[in-house]
Amino acid sequence: MNSKLDRRKKYTRMVLKESLMKLLKAKSISTVTVKEICALADINRSTFYSHFSDQFDLLNQIEEEIIEDMNETLMAFHYNQDEESLQMTERIVEYVAEKSDVCTTLFSEHGDSSFKKRVMMVASEHTVKNWLSIYPIDPEISEYVSIFAISGSINVLEDWLKNGMDKTPKEIAEIINNLTNKGLSYLQG
């Protein structure tokens, strides 16, 4: 009996999340209503409120799942050489590809603008520590280096999603990794 309730609860949450994502493709979170989400999900409002307090809470739950997944992915790597760095970057790009629909929506103008900042913070926490252990970066400028590399990487991912993922995750990971680790000098051969 409990497993049936758990499955029903998971299904309800999944349908509500999918419905919100569909609505966010066309409009911003501030204009989405619980009534619209419920109508699209074919779920009554009392059921919605038994899971989430409002549309912002639902969006926050979706974002938290992405952040947690990214954190777990990044924690699995403790790279100290370029090869491991590339593997980590490739895994993140593969994750973005797997969740392309959600990531495209969350990074769009209709998503929550703070989400991109949160993603950058998670990436920064993991990468700066590793960069400092590999490269002798002046601690006074390490934050700037991190912001530059991470915001550039996120923008590359956003563009890649907008372009219909026209390159493989491995190709995008190599571009990001080379630019991050070698700068524009890697283009010169």
Side-chain angles (χ1 to χ4, degrees):
M1 182 79 170
N2 279 342
S3 67
K4 187 176 181 179
L5 286 175
D6 287 344
R7 277 197 315 257
R8 193 176 314 156
K9 186 176 180 179
K10 285 180 184 178
Y11 174 78
T12 300
R13 287 176 171 255
M14 179 192 70
V15 170
L16 289 169
K17 289 174 184 178
E18 287 174 356
S19 297
L20 177 60
M21 288 293 102
K22 285 179 186 172
L23 291 167
L24 286 176
K25 288 180 182 181
K27 55 200 299 186
S28 69
I29 185 66
S30 61
T31 61
V32 171
T33 66
V34 171
K35 184 177 180 180
E36 289 174 305
I37 297 168
C38 291
L40 190 57
D42 195 26
I43 290 175
N44 67 48
R45 286 173 40 182
S46 62
T47 301
F48 176 93
Y49 287 116
S50 70
H51 295 275
F52 305 101
S53 60
D54 58 20
Q55 69 273 32
F56 298 102
D57 183 34
L58 173 55
L59 178 59
N60 187 55
Q61 291 293 319
I62 294 167
E63 292 174 351
E64 280 303 312
E65 287 174 14
I66 300 287
I67 296 292
E68 283 179 32
D69 285 351
M70 285 186 67
N71 226 342
E72 287 177 21
T73 300
L74 291 168
M75 284 174 44
F77 291 91
H78 301 288
Y79 67 90
N80 53 15
Q81 45 187 278
D82 284 346
E83 185 179 309
E84 290 174 16
S85 170
L86 178 59
Q87 289 172 356
M88 179 190 73
T89 305
E90 188 173 351
R91 180 59 200 118
I92 290 171
V93 175
E94 287 169 351
Y95 176 79
V96 169
E98 290 166 16
K99 303 276 187 184
S100 64
D101 201 37
V102 173
C103 289
T104 300
T105 303
L106 292 176
F107 284 139
S108 78
E109 68 273 6
H110 299 299
D112 179 7
S113 61
S114 69
F115 176 69
K116 190 188 283 190
K117 290 178 185 170
R118 290 172 54 211
V119 168
M120 287 177 67
M121 284 177 50
V122 168
S124 178
E125 287 173 20
H126 292 279
T127 56
V128 171
K129 287 181 222 167
N130 290 319
W131 287 335
L132 291 174
S133 68
I134 299 170
Y135 304 108
I137 300 172
D138 181 349
E140 289 185 26
I141 66 163
S142 65
E143 185 177 338
Y144 296 113
V145 171
S146 172
I147 290 169
F148 180 81
I150 292 166
S151 62
S153 299
I154 288 174
N155 284 309
V156 167
L157 289 174
E158 280 183 88
D159 241 39
W160 178 62
L161 290 169
K162 286 178 190 170
N163 291 333
M165 297 185 290
D166 57 347
K167 297 194 180 313
T168 67
K170 184 176 181 90
E171 290 171 320
I172 290 297
E174 287 173 347
I175 291 168
I176 290 171
N177 207 55
N178 283 328
L179 284 171
T180 301
N181 293 331
K182 300 172 187 165
L184 293 176
S185 64
Y186 104 91
L187 296 172
Q188 297 172 351

